[in-house]
Amino acid sequence: VLVAVIYCLLAAGIVFGYAALKPVLIEERVYRNYCSKDEQEDDVRVCRDQEIHLNLMFTIAAVATNVCALPVGAVIDKYGPRVSGVIGSFLLAIGALLFALASRFGFEGYIPGYLFLALGGPFVFISSFQLSNTFPQHSGLILSMLTGAFDSSSAVFLAYRLIYTATNEKFPPQQFFLAYLVVPIFILIVQLLLMPARSYKTVGELVMSAEDEGNDVHDSDDEIEDQTRVQRLREERRNHRESVVSEVTALLGSSKADNEQAKEEEKKRQISGVWGVLHGQSASRQIKSPWFILITLFTIVQMTRINFFVATIRPQYEYMLNSFDKAVGINNFFDVALPVGGLLSVPLIGLVLDNTSTPFVLGLLVTIATTIGILGVLPYVWAAYANIILFVLYRPFYYTTVSDYAAKVFGFNTFGKVYGLTIALAGLLNLSQSGLDALMQKGFDGDPLPVNLTLLFTALVVGLALVGY
């Protein structure tokens, strides 16, 4: 479990540290060739077409991360978590090599390199979920640690940027990404030597398997002529099976503790207010319902807002505050706050989701999102920092709430299909982020206000419709 937390911290979601990596790429003159002759002669710090191409790199990576969840699940179900982890290590290695070689030889390896880094993350991260079954009594803690590692992995590029600055820019991306190859090699080694080939079973699955009386009878029994011996062998198997059930039950705790846990789960279901609304229905029927349509629209809008902000935070505040230095300070604060916010929000999210109704949680999401939107259009430094603090706490809260909603409303039988489709659609439609970026840079001459106001009001309308329904 500890090893999985370490490699998730180093690889699971590093592409979301884009805001920290972007200044390094600008200093290294990546995509500088897209600047016009006049812009190059004027030696502008970053031109608009350069900005758009850099942000496109992140947009494609963010889309791939979300869409990739569907094939990752299929690989894990069919071939096991080890194969998924090995695939992830190769994808990460390819991404790092492309980035390193692009820096050295100047070919277009940045977008595909970042894409492969984005694809490798889910293969490594999602295959680690099954490790929560290694210690059933602490499964929630293990999942929180893995999720926290994912959120904090954006700090990898922050650490690199600090080293890059401290060495007076003498540690270029080529050297960093060659050094980063240590990470996929480490993941490959632990997958082959340490991690399980098949997913750990839940306690419920172990009990069901152990309680199956068919395990008492083997085909080889027909080859034994002495029926007394056959009965004795079957009795021994039955005793062993019952012993396994007892050991599993002991692992979980007493029957009294089980009853208390069941009562606690039932209490949470009643508090939610939406538990079981569409349980037992087919995935196709669930997908046609307003429950699915509204949460998907909400997810699309919010995910677009989140990724647009991550990609354009510095040019937005540079325009609104009319100060490059202030924008750099805000960007630096954001780079630190993003991974820290992910860690701090983990226990708070659990408390809110377990003790309040789903309509209340969705209403809280809409309220916070609206507040973030309002703060995001105010041209003041205090508003920028308040916006970032709320944003880094809101981001993991939003992602967790969507999965919690899907589980409570649609049920676990169709969870993979329905939730996967929601995230995949949101990811694909996030390609519109590139268009919004181009609109801000060229259509509105770098002014983020029209785009931000449009996203704010769209999110508010869709959010109110979801909560009202």
Side-chain angles (χ1 to χ4, degrees), residues 161-178:
R161 196 196 71 204
L162 293 175
I163 296 171
Y164 179 81
T165 304
T167 57
N168 293 320
E169 304 176 3
K170 292 180 181 178
F171 188 50
Q174 174 198 349
Q175 295 180 16
F176 169 74
F177 282 100
L178 285 177

Side-chain angles (χ1 to χ4, degrees), residues 1 11 30 59 86 89 120 130 185 192 241 291 323 365 374 419:
V1 172
V30 173
T59 300
V86 169
S89 68
Q130 49 87 26
I185 291 172
L192 296 176
R241 177 172 53 79
W291 293 94
S323 171
L365 272 184
I374 294 172
Y419 176 69

Side-chain angles (χ1 to χ4, degrees), residues 6-237:
I6 291 172
Y7 65 61
C8 283
L9 182 63
L10 296 172
I14 58 168
V15 293
F16 292 102
Y18 169 75
L21 179 65
K22 184 178 176 181
V24 176
L25 300 180
I26 291 174
E27 288 295 329
E28 292 293 317
R29 306 177 73 83
V30 173
Y31 291 134
R32 189 71 175 178
N33 56 301
Y34 286 100
C35 297
S36 67
K37 185 177 180 180
D38 290 339
E39 289 171 326
Q40 293 190 33
E41 289 177 352
D42 293 340
D43 197 27
V44 295
R45 190 184 61 83
V46 56
C47 67
R48 288 173 183 170
D49 283 335
Q50 180 186 15
E51 179 90 31
I52 290 170
H53 276 82
L54 286 170
N55 292 343
L56 177 63
M57 181 180 76
F58 171 71
T59 300
I60 293 174
V63 170
T65 300
N66 294 315
V67 175
C68 189
L70 287 175
V72 171
V75 169
I76 293 173
D77 289 343
K78 188 170 184 179
Y79 301 106
R82 176 180 291 171
V83 172
S84 176
V86 169
I87 292 173
S89 68
F90 277 103
L91 291 172
L92 288 167
I94 293 170
L97 278 173
L98 284 172
F99 232 92
L101 296 176
S103 300
R104 181 171 183 177
F105 298 110
F107 71 97
E108 175 50 284
Y110 297 105
I111 288 179
Y114 215 66
L115 172 61
F116 276 103
L117 289 173
L119 293 173
F123 275 96
V124 169
F125 176 55
I126 298 175
S127 64
S128 302
F129 284 176
Q130 49 87 26
L131 294 175
S132 64
N133 295 325
T134 54
F135 301 99
Q137 292 174 317
H138 304 290
S139 60
L141 174 62
I142 294 171
L143 284 175
S144 297
M145 290 170 64
L146 292 169
T147 303
F150 173 83
D151 288 327
S152 300
S153 61
S154 60
V156 171
F157 287 148
L158 170 61
Y160 166 56
R161 196 196 71 204
L162 293 175
I163 296 171
Y164 179 81
T165 304
T167 57
N168 293 320
E169 304 176 3
K170 292 180 181 178
F171 188 50
Q174 174 198 349
Q175 295 180 16
F176 169 74
F177 282 100
L178 285 177
Y180 183 78
L181 287 171
V182 171
V183 174
I185 291 172
F186 168 71
I187 295 172
L188 178 62
I189 291 172
V190 297
Q191 289 294 339
L192 296 176
L193 301 181
L194 181 64
M195 293 297 166
R198 308 303 304 178
S199 298
Y200 280 104
K201 292 183 178 180
T202 65
V203 174
E205 289 171 337
L206 288 172
V207 171
M208 289 179 62
S209 177
E211 287 181 339
D212 185 2
E213 295 182 0
N215 292 328
D216 297 345
V217 180
H218 291 185
D219 292 338
S220 59
D221 292 347
D222 296 336
E223 300 175 4
I224 302 174
E225 296 181 359
D226 188 350
Q227 291 301 310
T228 303
R229 186 185 174 192
V230 171
Q231 290 300 321
R232 187 171 67 251
L233 286 171
R234 291 179 179 176
E235 183 68 19
E236 289 175 356
R237 294 167 190 153

Side-chain angles (χ1 to χ4, degrees), residues 244-449:
V244 171
V245 174
S246 298
E247 289 175 4
V248 173
T249 304
L251 176 65
L252 278 174
S254 64
S255 58
K256 181 180 179 181
D258 291 343
N259 291 333
E260 290 177 354
Q261 185 178 6
K263 289 179 181 178
E264 186 67 25
E265 289 299 319
E266 183 60 31
K267 181 182 176 182
K268 291 178 183 178
R269 294 176 182 182
Q270 291 176 356
I271 290 174
S272 76
V274 298
W275 178 271
V277 172
L278 295 177
H279 285 201
Q281 296 190 20
S282 65
S284 60
R285 189 168 181 179
Q286 291 175 344
I287 290 168
K288 295 174 184 176
S289 70
W291 293 94
F292 174 82
I293 295 170
L294 289 171
I295 194 65
T296 300
L297 289 174
F298 183 71
T299 304
I300 290 169
V301 176
Q302 295 301 335
M303 195 178 289
T304 302
R305 289 183 68 194
I306 288 172
N307 291 333
F308 179 70
F309 183 74
V310 171
T312 62
I313 178 172
R314 183 178 291 193
Q316 282 198 45
Y317 281 112
E318 186 176 353
Y319 183 94
M320 288 194 292
L321 302 176
N322 195 28
S323 171
F324 173 71
D325 291 336
K326 290 179 180 178
V328 169
I330 291 168
N331 197 156
N332 291 342
F333 176 73
F334 175 76
D335 293 339
V336 176
L338 187 62
V340 173
L343 289 175
L344 294 179
S345 63
V346 168
L348 298 175
I349 293 170
L351 285 173
V352 173
L353 293 180
D354 289 343
N355 296 286
T356 58
S357 69
T358 300
F360 172 83
V361 172
L362 292 173
L364 182 61
L365 272 184
V366 174
T367 302
I368 297 174
T370 304
T371 305
I372 290 172
I374 294 172
L375 289 171
V377 298
L378 298 178
Y380 305 108
V381 173
W382 66 265
Y385 284 101
N387 183 23
I388 289 172
I389 292 171
L390 269 181
F391 178 88
V392 299
L393 295 173
Y394 170 82
R395 179 173 170 265
F397 180 38
Y398 150 73
Y399 280 116
T400 309
T401 298
V402 173
S403 61
D404 181 72
Y405 172 98
K408 289 175 178 176
V409 172
F410 305 116
F412 287 104
N413 288 338
T414 57
F415 178 83
K417 294 178 182 177
V418 177
Y419 176 69
L421 182 60
T422 297
I423 297 299
L425 286 174
L428 287 172
L429 290 172
N430 252 236
L431 287 170
S432 64
Q433 178 194 321
S434 182
L436 294 175
D437 187 25
L439 187 64
M440 181 185 80
Q441 295 290 344
K442 295 184 175 181
F444 300 116
D445 200 28
D447 185 0
L449 188 62

